[in-house]
Amino acid sequence: MPSVASKQYSDDVSLLVLLLDTNPLFWSNTSITFSQFLSHVLAFLNAVLGLNQLNQVVVIATGYSSCDYIYDSSLTSNHGNFESRGTGMPPLFASLLKKLEDFVTKDEELSREEGHEDRTPSCLLSGSLSMALCYIQRVFRSGHIHPQPRILCLQGSPDGPEQYVAVMNSIFSAQRLMVPIDSCYIGVQNSAFLQQASYITGGVHHTPKQLDGLFQYLTTIFATDLHSRGFVQLPKPIGVDFRASCFCHKKTIDMGYICSVCLSIFCEHHKKCSTCGSVFGQSKLDEASSVSDKKRKAPHT
Amino acid sequence: MSNQRKRLTGEREDEDDEDAEGIGEWERAYVDDRSWEELQEDESGLLRPIDNSAIYHAQYRRRLRMLSAAAAGTRIQKGLIRYLYIVIDFSRAAAEMDFRPSRIAVMAKHIEAFIREFFDQNPLSQIGLVSIKNGVAHTLTDLGGSPETHIKALMGKLEALGDSSLQNALELVNEHLSQVPSYGHREVLILYSALCTCDPGDIMETIQKCKKSKLRCSVIGLSAEMFICKHLCQETGGLYSVAVDEVHLKDLLLEHAPPPPAIAEFAIANLIKMGFPQRAAEGSMAICSCHKEVKIGAGYMCPRCKARVCDLPTECTICGLTLVSSPHLARSYHHLFPIAPFDEVPAFSSLNDSRRTLGKSCFGCQQSLIGTGNKPGPCVTCRKCKHYFCLDCDIYIHESLHNCPGCESIHRPKSVSLMEE
């Protein structure tokens, strides 16, 4: 679907959709506590809203068993009624904190219902990415004048391989809508999903080394709007590894065999495809066709 | 249209604001805007404007129902590796002006959009272009995977002359596609403007030859329905459609972008050897094999022969190995794992309990689903996760995103992992 030409109010109005990782399995052993992390994030959101009067912020929480909208700065019901919780937080964010607390409690209940057998440590990145893209699509539908949207993923949980197809679908859809996906990874191992997401959509990926300075990383790297990024030096993408892994051994391969029916990747020659069950023709046919390809190509170079 | 113009000229010869063509000032305003077509009559004969969004959604639902009826619960095999030739009729019929500004300009613009969409949805496939001019078929470009080459070749030669010959085009395409590997699906898409075909021999024989070589021919007509095109498409298992205006032409063209259902005997399943090159190190110097120039830094190295290539996907010019990266394969995965269509929830249905709790706003975009007068508006629901979505999210999810946000927001056990990066 082509994206609507964005004739925005002015060049630097942005809509930031923040995907916040609330996975309890990750937050139970980190160097920074969740409340310290939240104070960095809330200060960052305040900074983004302060950059331009028309900026909008939407927060979606990525939990272990569910995802939900936590905060939308364009809704007027956020202001007023809630009292400050006595922690020094401005009333603007009191509703965010309340909803976040409700979400985490509900998420914990849901994950307790599922049992403890197969506890993968990953969070539901594909779910929150899909919700963010639906919201951004709604903003595009609202007319010619709208802020420039972008997505920021604040995540620490490792990648869940079962989400690969869904995450790639979301990444390609974001690429077509021209929405960059920035990612700030605060976990231990490297996240291949987030690196690929930022590379393919033209966003920024960064892994901060010192988490007690998180606010500084967030404001200097991730707060700039899309127009100003042309003038600011942001971390460049270091070589993203796009090699595939074979389905049989899960090791990364340089050269492999692809089933022409279902596109499964194998590292060695098989008689039958284990994913779709198709029986393969002779390998001699493969050699013969590649030779004829070469012959056909020679006169054109 | 020209008769109308002559009549009006005769009537208004004394008018001051008439220009040389005989179109009055007031008429020019309606040349492109046929606003009278946007009105409809309801049962009592009163005029009412057409509600575009409801119609758009109804069309989309109808299309989805046809597709899912065809699939009928089983996973239909799709031809993912396609070798497609686009045959464009540049005979004198293509110079007609009934599509504004002319048939050629509209065809060229839509074919460019189609080529980009095609490579977006089928990154491992290849396209070639053939044109028919003066009764002879010429190859504009050979089979290749780079959209820019094709678009440049197409835009370079936009002129219409002579007759059109369907048989010559089919013979040429058949010859080219006979050299394609056996696991690929061979297809032809013909954009036909003429109302006749001047052939040197028996076209029925050519059609049988195409059928025997498993070539799937589809035709999009720009003028009127022709028997020979219909026969060709029926024999080879393709799709025949005739465009009524520019927008319809674009829709018909883009229908051919997603992979068609594959007939199992058409392509032999095979293991294709492919390479996954790594990005060359920053600052490394090499002579690239595609441009024959020295390049520094960005580029990829073929794992078999270590030649440098600039872009993926491509075939290594030195050793012939197909080079792809894993996102290119991932682009086709949504064809293999499609999501089920959502169920419609009729508007003004009673607010049952689940609707009351979940159905207040769309799960994807948080838009309110309560229509006018505090009654529930039209929406759809997913069979698996039971969440409610608005109509626009429904279209976006099924046409572009291919993920149900509700199903993705439920934790699934580890045993479902099919793919891994």
Side-chain angles (χ1 to χ4, degrees):
Chain A
M1 247 185 189
S3 72
V4 179
S6 49
K7 255 175 39 196
Q8 56 276 9
Y9 316 96
S10 65
D11 290 338
D12 55 353
V13 179
S14 48
L15 159 67
L16 175 67
V17 183
L18 178 66
L19 308 182
L20 205 59
D21 184 5
T22 63
N23 186 2
L25 290 177
F26 166 68
W27 286 110
S28 51
N29 51 354
T30 40
S31 56
I32 178 179
T33 65
F34 189 63
S35 55
Q36 284 172 333
F37 168 73
L38 260 190
S39 59
H40 287 287
V41 170
L42 289 179
F44 165 67
L45 289 182
N46 232 348
V48 168
L49 286 174
L51 278 175
N52 191 310
Q53 192 187 8
L54 300 167
N55 276 354
Q56 278 180 39
V57 164
V58 174
V59 180
I60 300 178
T62 318
Y64 180 76
S65 314
S66 58
C67 303
D68 203 5
Y69 283 87
I70 301 293
Y71 178 71
D72 184 346
S73 68
S74 56
L75 296 177
T76 48
S77 58
N78 282 323
H79 312 302
N81 299 345
F82 288 101
E83 298 151 13
S84 167
R85 296 167 49 96
T87 57
M89 288 290 170
L92 203 62
F93 290 124
S95 67
L96 188 160
L97 290 172
K98 172 115 192 7
K99 277 223 190 105
L100 187 58
E101 194 181 310
D102 294 337
F103 172 77
V104 170
T105 336
K106 207 164 58 141
D107 193 41
E108 200 186 340
E109 268 178 41
L110 279 173
S111 53
R112 225 177 302 144
E113 282 171 14
E114 287 175 11
H116 291 259
E117 328 92 27
D118 262 333
R119 290 283 236 184
T120 56
S122 59
C123 65
L124 293 173
L125 179 62
S126 53
S128 51
L129 261 181
S130 309
M131 289 167 76
L133 287 169
C134 285
Y135 187 88
I136 290 177
Q137 180 67 5
R138 170 185 162 196
V139 169
F140 278 142
R141 281 197 304 264
S142 63
H144 283 299
I145 301 184
H146 55 78
Q148 282 179 315
R150 65 182 195 274
I151 298 180
L152 171 58
C153 259
L154 261 184
Q155 193 174 313
S157 323
D159 298 330
E162 68 275 4
Q163 294 178 15
Y164 177 63
V165 180
V167 170
M168 293 311 278
N169 282 341
S170 314
I171 294 174
F172 295 135
S173 186
Q175 188 190 26
R176 290 171 82 169
L177 291 177
M178 294 190 284
V179 170
I181 300 181
D182 300 328
S183 46
C184 182
Y185 187 68
I186 51 181
V188 177
Q189 309 143 322
N190 227 335
S191 166
F193 285 2
L194 290 181
Q195 272 187 329
Q196 287 195 21
S198 300
Y199 184 78
I200 293 176
T201 55
V204 180
H205 175 83
H206 192 70
T207 317
K209 300 286 184 314
Q210 290 166 302
L211 287 182
D212 45 1
L214 185 62
F215 172 71
Q216 186 178 333
Y217 289 104
L218 289 176
T219 41
T220 49
I221 302 175
F222 296 107
T224 33
D225 57 275
L226 298 182
H227 178 74
S228 313
R229 284 187 182 189
F231 314 116
V232 172
Q233 291 288 350
L234 294 171
K236 301 230 184 343
I238 42 159
V240 186
D241 191 4
F242 277 130
R243 287 180 300 172
S245 14
C246 66
F247 286 13
C248 28
H249 309 112
K250 308 278 187 279
K251 56 180 165 96
T252 335
I253 46 173
D254 265 339
M255 266 193 295
Y257 296 91
I258 314 276
C259 167
S260 60
V261 174
C262 65
L263 299 187
S264 326
I265 308 169
F266 302 106
C267 49
E268 25 180 52
H269 205 86
H270 291 241
K271 285 266 162 33
K272 204 164 95 96
C273 173
S274 51
T275 322
C276 65
S278 357
V279 180
F280 298 127
Q282 306 293 331
S283 57
K284 290 201 203 96
L285 255 179
D286 231 10
E287 304 291 311
S289 60
S290 63
V291 165
S292 67
D293 276 349
K294 262 190 283 176
K295 281 206 183 125
R296 186 163 52 91
K297 269 231 227 4
H300 298 301
T301 48
Chain B
M1 185 68 175
S2 50
N3 282 340
Q4 220 177 1
R5 260 186 251 146
K6 282 200 201 113
R7 192 170 19 99
L8 286 163
T9 322
E11 280 174 13
R12 297 184 289 108
E13 264 172 16
D14 305 322
E15 289 289 325
D16 286 341
D17 46 309
E18 204 177 279
D19 64 16
E21 288 171 28
I23 303 181
E25 192 65 48
W26 66 272
E27 202 178 358
R28 242 178 274 145
Y30 286 101
V31 158
D32 284 320
D33 171 26
R34 304 190 195 108
S35 52
W36 54 89
E37 288 177 3
E38 286 174 27
L39 293 176
Q40 240 186 2
E41 273 185 28
D42 64 6
E43 316 79 58
S44 52
L46 297 170
L47 284 179
R48 109 190 113 92
I50 295 183
D51 181 7
N52 276 321
S53 64
I55 290 208
Y56 182 55
H57 191 254
Q59 267 177 358
Y60 153 77
R61 297 286 314 176
R62 222 176 304 137
R63 202 171 38 197
L64 210 59
R65 235 175 295 144
M66 279 196 312
L67 288 174
S68 58
T74 57
R75 285 228 195 103
I76 289 221
Q77 235 182 52
K78 301 243 173 114
L80 291 175
I81 303 190
R82 306 163 70 184
Y83 293 92
L84 172 73
Y85 262 100
I86 306 181
V87 174
I88 313 162
D89 175 13
F90 278 130
S91 64
R92 70 177 84 89
E96 292 277 334
M97 312 274 253
D98 56 353
F99 285 9
R100 307 209 159 268
S102 71
R103 283 187 188 173
I104 292 192
V106 171
M107 277 201 295
K109 192 170 75 162
H110 291 328
I111 290 177
E112 177 183 347
F114 169 75
I115 291 179
R116 293 195 196 280
E117 179 71 20
F118 180 85
F119 282 119
D120 197 45
Q121 300 217 19
N122 308 274
L124 301 173
S125 309
Q126 293 184 354
I127 282 188
L129 292 176
V130 164
S131 69
I132 311 176
K133 228 183 260 198
N134 272 328
V136 183
H138 306 277
T139 315
L140 282 178
T141 54
D142 276 322
L143 282 173
S146 144
E148 300 304 323
T149 331
H150 299 303
I151 293 172
K152 213 160 61 154
L154 174 67
M155 296 305 181
K157 298 194 168 190
L158 289 180
E159 43 172 11
L161 332 143
D163 294 321
S164 159
S165 168
L166 202 53
Q167 183 183 12
N168 285 338
L170 286 174
E171 292 280 345
L172 181 64
V173 168
N174 216 353
E175 196 190 302
H176 282 309
L177 284 177
S178 59
Q179 298 164 337
V180 136
S182 60
Y183 51 75
H185 285 81
R186 301 164 192 191
E187 298 175 36
V188 180
L189 177 60
I190 307 178
L191 281 162
Y192 210 64
S193 332
L195 282 172
C196 59
T197 163
C198 303
D199 300 325
D202 185 4
I203 192 172
M204 296 301 186
E205 265 181 40
T206 314
I207 294 182
Q208 291 308 312
K209 211 161 65 163
C210 290
K211 188 173 175 182
K212 222 180 297 174
S213 49
K214 313 215 180 111
L215 178 61
R216 180 181 186 264
C217 309
S218 304
V219 179
I220 298 182
L222 273 84
S223 35
E225 185 177 1
M226 281 170 63
F227 169 75
I228 191 66
C229 297
K230 193 166 172 182
H231 181 76
L232 168 67
C233 296
Q234 271 173 350
E235 287 288 304
T236 54
L239 215 60
Y240 181 39
S241 38
V242 177
V244 298
D245 58 25
E246 298 91 327
V247 179
H248 191 213
L249 174 62
K250 183 166 189 190
D251 287 337
L252 290 175
L253 253 181
L254 289 179
E255 255 179 40
H256 287 95
I263 305 184
E265 314 82 56
F266 270 24
I268 306 173
N270 229 323
L271 274 181
I272 314 164
K273 200 169 168 78
M274 288 202 190
F276 300 97
Q278 270 189 307
R279 225 173 152 74
E282 289 294 321
S284 66
M285 278 195 283
I287 300 182
C288 86
S289 50
C290 27
H291 304 103
K292 312 281 190 295
E293 293 170 356
V294 178
K295 295 263 167 105
I296 304 182
Y300 301 91
M301 215 168 52
C302 170
R304 189 155 69 177
C305 67
K306 310 285 186 279
R308 185 195 184 285
V309 290
C310 292
D311 230 346
L312 295 182
T314 187
E315 271 187 41
C316 175
T317 31
I318 310 291
C319 66
L321 181 64
T322 314
L323 299 173
V324 293
S325 65
S326 46
H328 292 126
L329 295 177
R331 270 187 207 277
S332 304
Y333 286 153
H334 71 86
H335 297 302
L336 300 166
F337 306 106
I339 51 172
F342 292 162
D343 296 325
E344 262 183 54
V345 175
F348 310 121
S349 63
S350 59
L351 269 179
N352 56 2
D353 272 334
S354 75
R355 181 88 202 262
R356 214 190 299 260
T357 44
L358 294 177
K360 287 257 180 60
S361 49
C362 168
F363 184 74
C365 64
Q366 300 294 99
Q367 196 169 38
S368 167
L369 290 176
I370 310 288
T372 50
N374 233 357
K375 292 221 190 90
C379 63
V380 289
T381 173
C382 170
R383 237 169 269 178
K384 290 196 202 139
C385 62
K386 311 279 190 290
H387 281 281
Y388 290 87
F389 296 95
C390 63
L391 304 183
D392 300 303
C393 276
D394 183 21
I395 296 179
Y396 172 63
I397 288 172
H398 283 95
E399 300 211 331
S400 184
L401 186 56
H402 307 290
N403 280 346
C404 167
C407 298
E408 293 301 321
S409 305
I410 304 177
H411 190 81
R412 271 170 310 185
K414 200 171 183 177
S415 53
V416 192
S417 84
L418 270 172
M419 314 278 161
E420 198 173 287
E421 175 41 6

